[in-house]
Amino acid sequence: MSLPAFSTQAELFSTAGLSSSLFAPTDRYRLFAQMVYPVVASAREELQKCYCADNGRVAIEPVLMLGVSLLQYLDGLPDRQAVEMVRYHAGWNFALNRQLGDELFHPTTLVNFRQRLIQQEQSALGFKTILDALAEAGLVSRQSRQRLDSTQMLGLVSRMSRLDCVRESLRLALQELDGSVGPEARPGFWLELWERYVQSQIDYRASSEALGRKLVEAGTDTARLLGWARDPSQNHLAWGPQLLLLERVSGEQFEMNAAEVALKSKAELSSDRVQNPHDPEATYAVKGEGQKKKEHVGYKVQVAETVTQAELEPGEPTQNFLTGIVTHAAYQSDEAGAEKMEAEQAAMGLDKPPVQYVDGAYVSAEKLAAAQGEGRSLIGPAASAPHNNGGRYTTEDFQIEVEQRKAICPAGRENTQCSRLEEQVTGKVTYRFEWSTHCADCPLRERCVGPEQKHRTIVVGEHHSALQSRRQEQKTEAFAQQMKHRNGIEGTQSELVRAHGIRRARYRGLAKARLQNYFAAAACNIKRWVNRKMWELSQAAAATVPAVS
C-alpha cells in the first residue's frame, strides 16, 4: 500500500474561521495543534517504514492515523467513536490540521494501522516521539531521577479451570482441522470427539470426582488426536496454530507415555502455562496474602516516571513525565521487569537514573551491590530476615562483614570459621559463618542455637554487606523522607488506570497489549505537557494584568 502526497507547508490551523472564535490561547486543542501535531508530523519518516513505497492503493495518511490514535487515548474512546469525533468535532479537526468535511476513513483503518506498527516493530514510536519532544523542550533529562513500580493488567479473557482450558483447546483444534482435513482423511474417532467437544458442553452441576474424570478423559482424547496427527501417514498434514497450541496445553497439563495419560499435580504446573487458549500469552499471577490477596490473568506493566524535587506552587501541574512503560508476562518478577525497563530506556536514548525510587520487590543484595558499583542509588526497603526460626536470633542480629569474612554474634564473639560456597549450576556464591567453639558455654545459647544444632551457623550471599547496610538505613527518619518521592508513582498508576484504561487490555495478545500501553503513556505525557503549558500561559497572563489601586 503506497502513501499519499504529504506536505508540511499546509497552514497549521486549517479549520477555517474557527481558530480565534472557538480556540483560546490556552485551549487544549490549540496547544495540541501548536505543540504536538508538528512532533507527530516529524515521525512520518519512521511511519513510512510501515508502508510500501509504490505498491497498492494510496494509504490513509499515517500522520493522521497516529494523531487520531493519540487523541483517542487522551479522551478514552474506541475506534468507532474516534472516527465520529473526526467527522463532527471541530477541536479534533483543529488539532489534526484538518477541516470539517475532509474525507474520512473506516474505523478498521485504525486497526490496520496498529497492526502495521506491531509488524514493523514500531509499537513504541508514538511514545518515543513525544518523549523526544519533551527532552528537546527541556522537560525531561536524558539522565534523571526516577521512580519505578508495577501494576496488573487484566487480559481480555477470563481465567479457565484446567478442564475448561483443555476442552476448549480441543474444540479449537478440531474446528481448525475440520476446515483443512476432508471427511475421507479423518480418523475413525473423529465423530466421537466432535460430538463430545464441539457439540456438547460440560454439566458443571456434576461432582468434583465426575469433573476430574472428564479432565482425564479430555487428556486421553488429546493424546489420541495428537497421536493421529503425528503418525507418519499424516506427514502431509499442516499443523495450524490451534493444533500446536493443543500440543502445548497437553504437555503442560498431562504426563503422557505409551501406556497411559496421567494428570499433573498442581505443584507440577508451570507458572507460564496457558490459562485460556483464546489468549495463550495472558498468564496467571497472584500478589499478597489473605484478604490482600489479588489474582489475575493477563500481564504486568512497569511504569517509570521522572522525579522533580522542586516544590510546586498552589495549582501548578506536575513537572514529572513518564520515561518508560514495559508490558510483560504477569508471572515474571518485578526484578525481571526492571531489567526490561533498563533495556527499553537505553533503546530510547536514556541513561540509567542516578537515583531510582522503588518498593521492596525491586531490592535485593545483588541489585544494591550492582547500583553501588555503578555509582547509582537504588532507594527502596530491603526485606527483613526471615523470623520462622522459633524466636531465635536472625541474621539481622549479627554484624557481618562478608568482604573480611568476619561476623560478630549477639554475644560479641567473632566467628571461628568462614567457608565460601559456589553452586556449580548457577554460579551463585554464598558464605557460611560458624561459631564452633564459642557456643558451648555461651549464656545466649538457647536464644541462638537450635535444639538439633551443635553450634550456630549463618549462610549469607556474597553481597550481604549491602543488604545489611540497607536494613539498618531504612530504620532512620532520613530514609523515610527519601521514600516519600516513591509515593507519587501510585497516583500516576491511578491516572493511567482511570483516565487511560491500562487496567484492562483492549485487545488479545502481548504485542497488542504492549502497543495499547505505549499509546496510553504517550497520551498521559501529552496531557501533562499541555496542562503545564496552559498553566504557564495563565501565569503569564495574570502577571500582565495591572494591579487595581
Side-chain angles (χ1 to χ4, degrees):
M1 182 176 285
S2 59
L3 291 175
F6 179 75
S7 173
T8 59
Q9 302 301 317
E11 181 186 354
L12 179 60
F13 305 116
S14 57
T15 306
L18 296 177
S19 60
S20 59
S21 60
L22 289 183
F23 305 105
T26 57
D27 184 90
R28 70 183 186 118
Y29 294 115
R30 174 183 285 274
L31 294 176
F32 188 101
Q34 289 177 331
M35 298 160 49
V36 181
Y37 180 78
V39 174
V40 174
S42 70
R44 194 174 194 269
E45 184 176 351
E46 292 296 320
L47 289 169
Q48 287 178 351
K49 300 176 182 178
C50 301
Y51 297 82
C52 297
D54 54 0
N55 184 29
R57 61 178 181 172
V58 177
I60 303 296
E61 174 53 51
V63 171
L64 175 62
M65 293 292 97
L66 183 56
V68 170
S69 298
L70 292 172
L71 280 173
Q72 76 173 121
Y73 275 86
L74 269 169
D75 292 348
L77 301 178
D79 295 340
R80 193 170 297 277
Q81 289 186 23
V83 174
E84 289 300 300
M85 294 293 277
V86 176
R87 180 192 302 274
Y88 297 118
H89 199 283
W92 273 48
N93 284 275
F94 186 74
L96 296 171
N97 195 21
R98 284 172 46 90
Q99 294 190 35
L100 289 172
D102 282 356
E103 184 179 359
L104 287 173
F105 51 88
H106 195 272
T108 55
T109 307
L110 289 169
V111 179
N112 296 331
F113 174 70
R114 291 192 295 268
Q115 192 61 36
R116 287 179 181 275
L117 292 178
I118 293 172
Q119 291 172 349
Q120 299 300 319
E121 298 183 351
Q122 296 278 12
S123 297
L125 178 60
F127 177 74
K128 184 179 185 302
T129 300
I130 299 301
L131 186 61
D132 289 342
L134 291 170
E136 186 175 346
L139 296 171
V140 171
S141 172
R142 294 292 178 183
Q143 187 181 52
S144 59
R145 291 171 174 259
Q146 294 182 15
R147 47 194 173 214
L148 174 68
D149 201 6
S150 67
T151 188
Q152 61 185 8
M153 185 181 197
L154 306 179
L156 194 60
V157 290
S158 62
R159 182 186 178 191
M160 284 185 166
S161 67
R162 297 176 66 179
L163 175 59
D164 282 338
C165 183
V166 176
R167 286 182 61 90
E168 185 66 6
S169 300
L170 260 171
R171 184 184 71 83
L172 294 174
L174 288 168
Q175 289 182 327
E176 180 181 70
L177 290 170
D178 183 57
S180 60
V181 180
E184 68 285 350
R186 295 170 183 170
F189 55 80
W190 177 270
L191 291 179
E192 178 186 352
L193 266 59
W194 187 267
E195 180 181 358
R196 184 174 294 164
Y197 298 105
V198 179
Q199 297 179 336
S200 303
Q201 293 183 350
I202 286 290
D203 182 5
Y204 290 98
R205 296 171 297 180
S207 64
S208 58
E209 292 79 6
L211 295 177
R213 289 193 297 270
K214 287 289 185 182
L215 179 56
V216 175
E217 178 185 64
T220 303
D221 291 337
T222 297
R224 293 165 66 190
L225 184 62
L226 292 175
W228 167 79
R230 296 191 190 106
D231 192 279
S233 63
Q234 303 297 328
N235 56 8
H236 62 281
L237 180 66
W239 282 58
Q242 299 301 335
L243 191 58
L244 291 170
L245 181 61
L246 178 63
E247 184 179 45
R248 173 185 168 185
V249 171
S250 172
E252 292 172 345
Q253 299 285 351
F254 303 97
E255 290 288 352
M256 295 191 177
N257 51 54
E260 61 177 354
V261 175
L263 183 65
K264 288 185 177 180
S265 65
K266 288 186 177 181
E268 296 176 294
L269 298 178
S270 61
S271 56
D272 62 343
R273 69 185 183 276
V274 175
Q275 298 289 334
N276 189 313
H278 294 283
D279 186 358
E281 293 177 305
T283 54
Y284 169 79
V286 59
K287 181 178 181 180
E289 298 178 352
Q291 295 182 346
K292 295 183 178 181
K293 183 177 180 181
K294 295 181 180 179
E295 301 174 282
H296 83 284
V297 170
Y299 312 96
K300 183 180 285 188
V301 184
Q302 304 285 337
V303 181
E305 179 184 39
T306 59
V307 176
T308 304
Q309 294 180 297
E311 292 187 9
L312 300 178
E313 298 180 19
E316 181 180 359
T318 181
Q319 300 180 34
N320 300 318
F321 295 90
L322 304 186
T323 55
I325 187 163
V326 170
T327 310
H328 59 98
Y331 69 88
Q332 292 178 333
S333 68
D334 281 335
E335 282 197 21
E339 293 176 0
K340 294 176 185 292
M341 177 64 74
E342 183 179 315
E344 177 186 280
Q345 292 187 333
M348 292 187 178
L350 300 180
D351 297 329
K352 291 182 179 180
V355 181
Q356 191 174 41
Y357 301 93
V358 296
D359 62 21
Y362 299 87
V363 178
S364 64
E366 292 76 12
K367 295 298 181 183
L368 288 171
Q372 290 176 3
E374 296 171 353
R376 301 185 302 112
S377 296
L378 181 65
I379 309 298
S384 301
H387 290 77
N388 56 349
N389 59 350
R392 290 182 293 276
Y393 291 121
T394 68
T395 55
E396 291 187 16
D397 300 306
F398 291 73
Q399 300 176 24
I400 303 173
E401 299 178 20
V402 174
E403 294 77 11
Q404 285 74 37
R405 298 195 175 189
K406 176 182 177 181
I408 305 297
C409 73
R413 297 178 178 180
E414 187 175 336
N415 61 294
T416 57
Q417 184 178 350
C418 178
S419 305
R420 184 181 183 274
L421 311 174
E422 183 175 353
E423 296 181 7
Q424 293 183 354
V425 178
T426 63
K428 181 180 178 180
V429 176
T430 56
Y431 289 85
R432 182 173 65 203
F433 294 88
E434 300 184 47
W435 286 261
S436 57
T437 59
H438 294 327
C439 298
D441 59 349
C442 180
L444 301 179
R445 177 182 175 86
E446 292 185 1
R447 297 179 58 189
C448 187
V449 182
E452 298 181 358
Q453 292 179 306
K454 294 182 179 179
H455 56 269
R456 184 60 189 262
T457 62
I458 286 181
V459 178
V460 298
E462 61 178 327
H463 303 298
H464 179 77
S465 295
L467 187 65
Q468 181 176 248
S469 176
R470 175 53 51 85
R471 285 172 175 169
Q472 295 171 352
E473 180 188 6
Q474 67 194 36
K475 298 176 182 179
T476 65
E477 179 61 26
F479 185 85
Q481 292 299 319
Q482 282 186 309
M483 282 302 295
K484 289 183 178 180
H485 291 298
R486 193 211 74 88
N487 299 339
I489 196 69
E490 303 290 349
T492 296
Q493 289 181 343
S494 178
E495 179 183 358
L496 288 169
V497 168
R498 297 175 185 274
H500 304 292
I502 72 164
R503 175 65 75 232
R504 295 182 178 275
R506 290 188 176 195
Y507 324 106
R508 292 176 182 172
L510 179 59
K512 293 181 179 180
R514 182 181 291 119
L515 177 64
Q516 172 188 336
N517 290 335
Y518 276 129
F519 273 127
C524 183
N525 275 345
I526 291 172
K527 180 178 63 180
R528 293 183 176 190
W529 188 13
V530 169
N531 286 344
R532 182 139 196 93
K533 188 64 176 180
M534 291 170 60
W535 180 82
E536 291 173 353
L537 292 173
S538 299
Q539 291 296 104
T544 59
V545 176
V548 179
S549 59

